[in-house]
Amino acid sequence: MSAGVGVELDNVWIRFGNFIAVREANVNIAGGEFFSFLGPSGCGKTTILRAVSGFLEPSDGNVRIGGRDMAGIGPNQRPTALIFQNLALFPLMKVWENIAFSMEVRGVASAERRKRAEELLELIALPGQGDKMVSELSGGQRQRVAIARALCAQPDVLLLDEPLSALDLKLRQHMRTELRSIQKQVGITFIYITHDQGEALTMSDNVAVMRAGVIDQIADGQTIYDDPSTSFVASFVGENNMFRGTVKKLTKDAAVVATDAGELDARIASSVKGELKSGDDAMVFIRPEAFGVAEAGARGKGRIKAMVENEEFEGQSYHVFLNGPGDTHIKMSLVNTGRTSGSAVGDNLTIAYDTKQAVVLPAGELASE
Amino acid sequence: MAKFFERNGGLLGTYLLVMVGFWVIVLIILPQLSMLDFSFRYNLPPAQVGTDADVWNISNYHFLLFGAEGNPESYNVVDMSVFLKTLVAALFVTLFDLALCYPLAYYLAQSVSGGFGRVLVLLLIIPYWVNEILRAFAFRIIFGSSGIINATLIGTGIIDEPIDFIRADVALYAGLGYAYILLMIFPIYNAIESLDRNQIEAARDMGAPWWRIHWRVVIPFAKPGITSGCTMVFMLTAGALAAPQILGGPSSLWFTQIIYQWFNTGGNWPRGSAYAVVLLLTCIVFVLAMMRLFKIKMGEIGK
């Protein structure tokens, strides 16, 4: 397998008539990286993938693979292999013929193709299944055959278009680990498209979060989660409590925002440091797991008084739904430590959060539920 | 059976059964059986039908193979050569239709979308609202010595004298080829339409040129449709009567025309029946052999 080859999108615009599907995308994917495009459906992430694979040309800007401009080079000439959302395995060919199709195209002799297919079947943990028909395999097995088929083409870049979306939860989680380990083994660049933030965060070295054709943030998973750059990223990736208000006080790194739930202290997101001004419309985001129950009547920063409205038990955690000042709805997640949550519906609690875990961003678009 | 009536109700259930029975027995089995019966009888005057002289025999089949008593040739040269020519010509027309219809069907199924596609389909169908015989006459006019083709060729100075398309059988093959085009296009269209576009893109992504995509992905997928279309076109072309009658040149004869002559002018129904039975059985055997060759199961065609 060839070592990692980088992919660059340089000011890429893609338009369909008057509709702008992708707007000014600038992405730099390093060789050997597992890179994800994360976003809701219709945000343009599949369009970007098709531009990289060559099924469509950008209206403006350049796609470069390994430093080479790809303009005018068709999908059958690019060093990429695409795994389709529905896999698109050939139903009338045997498993090994599917896997070795790219070699058949290159005119490799049958015996050699067969040998290579067996090696790849070994890699995807389906040894000796080459003579089966695709229809005889289970969903997860088909998934792996699609990966083997793409790898057989010896691409420099593997493109994956939500390939796990059709699998059930358990299998999906299993395949995440498997994909990641296959990527480590073959060492080529993976570009992964998904709307599932769990997939993006667990597998990727870096994630690009997209909204309506625009890339909002490119960073590693932890940064995306802990230090989102826009209100959209904060609301789309993971769960978040949002409090809207105006900036009241500012220091270099932190701000106090006057919201319906009272004055909240929070850290200023790195992306807007120095830009946020007093009096700005702002949003404070606090993760459910950043909350904890404080001693009754405790005072200080990061305290909210609220009444328990409802409780949900989800195995590893309790979700407590609270009604705070100004009729704000707050979700608090407490780790299940074997004891009960210690509160009951109707209780009045003081909940506390670490002000470093609360993020202030300028008010903006939120991910729709 | 009780379940069938439970599901459909007594009245509708009975109606369904009677109609299916009528179709199978009256429309399929009985006519074929009576043809078969006819073909093994002498051509007797009405008074002798049912008498001792009216016995089963193979004289009609013998006639097709060896001709009349005292035939100087060792077999019936005229009828047998027409028979073979009909089969070969029908095969040729089938292949021609396939070559014409596969790209059309592929284009309709995979490349055009929405309104334009429906207009194209309509354009395909509308000519078939015209009667088959009228269409054959239209071809005769188009290919005639003063028809539009000759007029164009002479007008542009390509030829000086009109070409006799009728005598050269060009008109006949064009007419036959056109007659059953829809039966070729639609089965292939249906098959290709259900092909997942991503499979074509996947093959392209893996470097396959267009011809390999068709050879390895589209054609195998469309095979049941192709077989179904070829079977129908072959059967119907071999059994066509109107087009050969109207468009055939003076020297050309279609096997169905011989059958027609035995029934009509010849007044020999038993012999006509024998000829028809031979044509039908040969066509069936031929089609089955082809299906065997291309590894297609009967069930796939019925889809």
Side-chain angles (χ1 to χ4, degrees):
Chain A
M1 292 279 160
S2 45
V5 162
V7 176
E8 283 165 71
L9 303 183
D10 182 10
N11 193 24
V12 167
W13 290 70
I14 298 169
R15 299 184 193 89
F16 298 110
N18 287 326
F19 175 72
I20 300 178
V22 176
R23 194 183 283 271
E24 209 188 336
N26 284 293
V27 186
N28 216 324
I29 302 168
E33 193 176 337
F34 197 123
F35 190 95
S36 294
F37 284 93
L38 171 64
S41 53
C43 73
K45 53 193 194 303
T46 299
T47 310
I48 284 193
L49 198 74
R50 290 177 71 78
V52 175
S53 62
F55 285 109
L56 81 97
E57 289 278 337
S59 320
D60 253 319
N62 295 312
V63 175
R64 280 191 289 273
I65 300 177
R68 201 156 67 97
D69 188 9
M70 286 289 132
I73 299 178
N76 44 2
Q77 305 290 336
R78 294 195 184 192
T80 56
L82 176 59
I83 296 179
F84 290 80
Q85 187 162 10
N86 66 354
L87 307 182
L89 293 172
F90 307 124
L92 299 170
M93 294 186 204
K94 287 177 179 165
V95 167
W96 81 268
E97 290 177 304
N98 259 287
I99 292 176
F101 184 75
S102 60
M103 298 176 80
E104 183 186 321
V105 169
R106 291 200 304 272
V108 177
S110 171
E112 200 178 322
R113 296 203 310 258
R114 183 77 214 228
K115 194 167 146 263
R116 179 77 187 122
E118 287 300 336
E119 283 169 23
L120 283 161
L121 282 165
E122 205 78 46
L123 175 78
I124 56 166
L126 288 172
Q129 312 257 31
D131 279 318
K132 284 192 177 168
M133 295 307 280
V134 173
S135 57
E136 296 171 67
L137 301 181
S138 70
Q141 289 173 330
R142 281 180 212 185
Q143 185 68 60
R144 283 180 284 178
V145 170
I147 295 168
R149 184 176 71 170
L151 289 176
C152 187
Q154 293 191 294
D156 295 325
V157 181
L158 189 64
L159 309 169
L160 304 99
D161 186 3
E162 308 211 22
L164 304 187
S165 55
L167 304 181
D168 60 49
L169 181 68
K170 269 262 149 47
L171 201 52
R172 206 154 63 218
Q173 286 171 340
H174 173 71
M175 285 306 297
R176 280 182 200 172
T177 323
E178 202 141 325
L179 263 180
R180 186 65 175 152
S181 85
I182 288 175
Q183 194 257 344
K184 289 234 167 82
Q185 272 185 64
V186 298
I188 60 172
T189 313
F190 274 42
I191 300 181
Y192 193 90
I193 296 293
T194 184
H195 64 267
D196 180 334
Q197 37 118 356
E199 278 178 18
L201 296 182
T202 45
M203 293 191 287
S204 323
D205 298 312
N206 279 302
V207 179
V209 183
M210 286 191 77
R211 162 183 58 101
V214 179
I215 298 177
D216 266 14
Q217 185 172 16
I218 302 176
D220 63 89
Q222 179 142 23
T223 308
I224 297 263
Y225 194 82
D226 290 340
D227 191 14
S229 67
T230 65
S231 55
F232 175 81
V233 176
S235 57
F236 183 72
V237 180
E239 282 186 279
N240 239 329
N241 292 294
M242 191 277 286
F243 303 92
R244 202 176 176 136
T246 41
V247 179
K248 218 179 153 196
K249 266 189 288 182
L250 273 171
T251 61
K252 188 164 146 284
D253 295 322
V256 178
V257 180
T259 70
D260 292 343
E263 294 189 357
L264 299 177
D265 281 81
R267 175 173 56 84
I268 301 171
S270 324
S271 60
V272 292
K273 241 176 227 177
E275 288 171 29
L276 208 63
K277 291 183 295 293
S278 197
D280 276 1
D281 232 358
M283 288 172 168
V284 176
F285 291 93
I286 308 172
R287 300 266 178 210
E289 69 271 17
F291 283 114
V293 182
E295 281 169 44
R299 295 181 150 270
K301 286 181 176 178
R303 301 276 191 279
I304 302 173
K305 285 202 177 97
M307 188 196 71
V308 178
E309 272 187 328
N310 196 7
E311 279 196 344
E312 277 174 7
F313 174 66
E314 203 210 358
Q316 87 270 30
S317 51
Y318 295 98
H319 303 298
V320 184
F321 297 89
L322 302 128
N323 195 317
D327 201 28
T328 47
H329 295 279
I330 305 170
K331 182 178 179 183
M332 170 171 73
S333 298
L334 302 170
V335 175
N336 176 11
T337 53
R339 285 166 293 181
T340 59
S341 67
S343 57
V345 173
D347 283 0
N348 281 302
L349 297 178
T350 302
I351 56 172
Y353 65 90
D354 181 351
T355 55
K356 288 203 184 63
Q357 282 187 278
V359 179
V360 185
L361 282 160
E365 197 182 316
L366 297 174
S368 49
E369 289 296 308
Chain B
M1 203 65 192
K3 260 222 171 102
F4 174 80
F5 280 107
E6 224 170 83
R7 220 174 325 121
N8 295 296
L11 199 64
L12 181 64
T14 313
Y15 180 66
L16 288 175
L17 282 186
V18 167
M19 289 324 280
V20 170
F22 175 78
W23 170 54
V24 172
I25 296 166
V26 180
L27 297 182
I28 300 178
I29 297 177
L30 285 183
Q32 300 299 337
L33 279 181
S34 82
M35 280 281 274
L36 201 62
D37 175 54
F38 254 117
S39 73
F40 287 106
R41 304 239 177 227
Y42 290 119
N43 189 28
L44 298 170
Q48 288 182 41
V49 171
T51 61
D52 289 348
D54 194 2
V55 290
W56 278 346
N57 65 88
I58 56 162
S59 64
N60 295 315
Y61 294 94
H62 188 271
F63 186 91
L64 170 61
L65 281 175
F66 303 107
E69 294 289 330
N71 180 9
E73 311 276 353
S74 53
Y75 60 97
N76 188 344
V77 178
V78 176
D79 289 1
M80 287 303 285
S81 61
V82 168
F83 179 65
L84 284 179
K85 201 196 92 178
T86 301
L87 289 182
V88 171
L91 184 64
F92 168 75
V93 168
T94 306
L95 293 176
F96 175 76
D97 274 2
L98 177 60
L100 189 73
C101 294
Y102 176 81
L104 251 170
Y106 178 79
Y107 178 74
L108 282 176
Q110 288 282 333
S111 298
V112 289
S113 52
F116 184 57
R118 277 194 289 278
V119 170
L120 283 183
V121 171
L122 212 60
L123 284 178
L124 277 174
I125 294 174
I126 286 175
Y128 292 87
W129 293 351
V130 175
N131 179 286
E132 189 190 352
I133 292 170
L134 292 183
R135 255 184 292 129
F137 274 113
F139 266 83
R140 202 180 166 97
I141 294 167
I142 292 170
F143 282 105
S145 57
S146 58
I148 185 161
I149 295 178
N150 271 318
T152 312
L153 288 176
I154 293 173
T156 52
I158 295 173
I159 52 170
D160 297 327
E161 290 289 306
I163 300 171
D164 193 345
F165 289 116
I166 308 280
R167 185 176 293 276
D169 279 343
V170 174
L172 172 62
Y173 290 122
L176 280 172
Y178 188 62
Y180 307 109
I181 260 183
L182 289 187
L183 297 171
M184 184 67 96
I185 286 184
F186 284 120
I188 302 178
Y189 170 80
N190 282 337
I192 296 181
E193 210 200 8
S194 61
L195 174 66
D196 173 17
R197 269 187 88 90
N198 283 350
Q199 285 190 21
I200 296 172
E201 291 201 338
R204 203 147 78 90
D205 189 52
M206 277 178 285
W210 65 269
W211 60 267
R212 193 186 290 275
I213 295 175
H214 281 274
W215 183 246
R216 288 290 276 156
V217 179
V218 185
I219 292 177
F221 192 84
K223 211 161 72 170
I226 291 173
T227 316
S228 168
C230 287
T231 309
M232 281 197 275
V233 169
F234 177 78
M235 289 285 205
L236 289 171
T237 305
L241 182 63
Q245 283 287 62
I246 296 162
L247 294 170
S251 63
S252 109
L253 202 55
W254 212 248
F255 195 65
T256 45
Q257 288 175 286
I258 298 181
I259 298 174
Y260 178 75
Q261 281 167 8
W262 282 125
F263 271 100
N264 199 25
T265 40
N268 192 339
W269 284 32
R271 189 155 291 163
S273 300
Y275 277 41
V277 166
V278 168
L279 180 64
L280 178 67
L281 290 181
T282 313
C283 284
I284 290 175
V285 168
F286 183 79
V287 165
L288 290 179
M290 284 296 129
M291 283 169 61
R292 189 81 187 258
L293 190 66
F294 291 107
K295 302 197 182 72
I296 295 151
K297 293 184 196 76
M298 196 52 120
E300 290 179 68
I301 295 184
K303 269 183 201 167

